[in-house]
Amino acid sequence: MTTVSVFGGSGFLGLRLVRQLTSQGTLVRVAVRRADRARSALRAAGLDRASVFRADVRDQATVAAAIAGADAVVDAVSAYVEAGGATFEAVHEWGARTLAREAVAAGVGRFVLVSGIGADPESRTSYIRARGRGERAVQEVFPGATIVRPSAMFGPGDALFGTIADLARLLPALPLIGGGQTRLQPVYVEDVAEAIARILADPRTTGRTYELAGPTVYTLRELFVIALRVIGKRRPLVTVPFAVAKLQARLFELLPNPPLTTGQVDLLKTDNVASGALPGLYELDILPKAIELILPTYLRKPRLAA
Ligand SMILES: NC(=O)c1ccc[n+]([C@@H]2O[C@H](COP(=O)([O-])OP(=O)(O)OC[C@H]3O[C@@H](n4cnc5c(N)ncnc54)[C@H](OP(=O)(O)O)[C@@H]3O)[C@@H](O)[C@H]2O)c1
């Protein structure tokens, strides 16, 4: 791949993917709404070689400009909170469709959509439904598209363990949504970035769907216990029913950087583990890294305020 347009290339996953691709000599275009913010993030990460395009997946002309002349497109755009016109449907369904359409129109060879485990076009919750419909739209428009469905991703700056650690530093007790029985299979963000880079380099991955999950399944309660152990804190875990957590998330969503969103609460209502019916990291010759190995490398230090 010589030129890859990464929509969402300044995000948690996107930046890691840009690093993987540029280290292989690929020319990378980062397409995001906030170009200045992306340039600063790329500079801070030593990735100045990537070019930045101001683009919004809801704006066809800006999408076309960021794609023209590219060999591949990756959709790693995320909306965890609905704000203004950026609804889950507009970003994850229609936005994904627009990217796929413009990629076809520009004669792009490969398309990778980053979705999520559990994406379901018939789901009753809008976030999960939009993800499922986005997958379906991309497959209709760009039949050779490859879909990757990560489980909850971890690594420096993550929303899962970072939030648990932040809360443990602030609160005397920690809220365990839904009693903490939901099962998750967290995957290291660098493993996901490497998987996408390998997919782009290997034409045999065309048209396939991958579930990218870590080596072990845990309950949410177990993940809280591990995070507390790593940061050396003891906190009682207090069950918060889903309905109460959803109300709290609605209020948090009024803040610029909500610690919890309604989409996240919805995702926690069902297990988020690989089905086993689809290929994953092992099929891409990647040995998934365990949280026990990676968490101590970053979780002990408090995060800087965003
Ligand atoms: N994080 C996880 O644990 C997790 C788990 C499973 C799946 N996923 C999926 O993985 C992908 C990446 O997630 P992430 O956590 O890396 O997201 P993130 O850190 O929130 O980054 C989102 C990126 O998308 C860009 N963006 C948002 N809205 C946009 C729009 N309308 N047009 C163009 N760019 C837009 C953002 O830049 P601007 O704001 O400047 O536009 C940013 O670069 C998403 O599809 C997400 O659903 C994430």
Side-chain angles (χ1 to χ4, degrees):
M1 282 299 149
T2 51
T3 303
V4 179
S5 295
V6 181
F7 286 80
S10 62
F12 174 59
L13 170 64
L15 269 181
R16 270 90 177 186
L17 175 61
V18 172
R19 182 177 295 116
Q20 293 266 351
L21 293 173
T22 50
S23 71
Q24 296 165 4
T26 303
L27 294 176
V28 180
R29 296 174 182 175
V30 168
V32 291
R33 294 166 303 173
R34 292 170 292 173
D36 289 343
R37 196 174 154 273
R39 279 191 198 94
S40 321
L42 290 163
R43 204 173 308 119
L47 299 169
D48 313 65
R49 271 184 302 156
S51 50
V52 177
F53 284 65
R54 200 204 65 75
D56 188 325
V57 296
R58 296 171 299 147
D59 179 349
Q60 182 261 339
T62 61
V63 169
I67 287 179
D71 302 294
V73 169
V74 178
D75 180 353
V77 167
S78 185
Y80 295 113
V81 181
E82 297 190 302
T87 60
F88 297 143
E89 198 178 36
V91 173
H92 290 300
E93 181 181 352
W94 301 334
R97 184 186 286 277
T98 302
L99 259 59
R101 258 201 204 127
E102 293 307 316
V104 169
V108 166
R110 297 294 308 274
F111 190 98
V112 177
L113 171 68
V114 183
S115 178
I117 283 185
D120 175 4
E122 309 307 331
S123 172
R124 285 167 55 196
T125 56
S126 55
Y127 179 78
I128 299 168
R129 188 170 61 241
R131 299 246 57 152
R133 293 190 178 173
E135 289 189 1
R136 197 162 65 187
V138 165
Q139 283 167 325
E140 274 167 22
V141 177
F142 198 119
T146 304
I147 291 172
V148 297
R149 293 176 174 173
S151 185
M153 291 189 279
F154 65 91
D158 69 44
L160 175 62
F161 295 107
T163 305
I164 298 174
D166 285 351
L167 290 177
R169 289 182 181 111
L170 284 171
L171 303 174
L174 293 186
L176 200 51
I177 295 171
Q181 291 315 303
T182 313
R183 292 158 69 243
L184 298 127
Q185 201 170 353
V187 61
Y188 186 33
V189 61
E190 296 287 355
D191 287 340
V192 176
E194 189 175 351
I196 298 170
R198 288 193 185 197
I199 284 168
L200 288 170
D202 183 352
R204 290 171 304 175
T205 61
T206 299
R208 304 190 79 181
T209 297
Y210 290 84
E211 283 180 333
L212 306 180
T216 312
V217 175
Y218 306 86
T219 62
L220 184 63
R221 178 181 286 274
E222 288 168 337
L223 294 176
F224 270 69
V225 171
I226 293 170
L228 286 170
R229 196 185 308 135
V230 169
I231 62 167
K233 296 225 179 277
R234 285 165 178 263
R235 294 285 182 272
L237 303 177
V238 181
T239 293
V240 176
F242 283 113
V244 176
K246 191 109 180 223
L247 268 177
Q248 287 174 333
R250 280 218 178 92
L251 292 176
F252 284 141
E253 284 177 357
L254 300 172
L255 301 170
N257 292 308
L260 182 71
T261 68
T262 50
Q264 285 168 329
V265 176
D266 285 338
L267 276 172
L268 284 175
K269 284 183 184 158
T270 44
D271 289 344
N272 200 264
V273 299
S275 65
L278 292 167
L281 290 171
Y282 293 108
E283 285 75 11
L284 293 163
D285 292 324
I286 297 170
L287 203 58
K289 289 177 200 59
I291 57 173
E292 290 80 356
L293 189 73
I294 305 294
L295 278 196
T297 66
Y298 68 91
L299 205 61
R300 289 189 180 134
K301 299 168 221 136
R303 289 192 290 189
L304 294 172

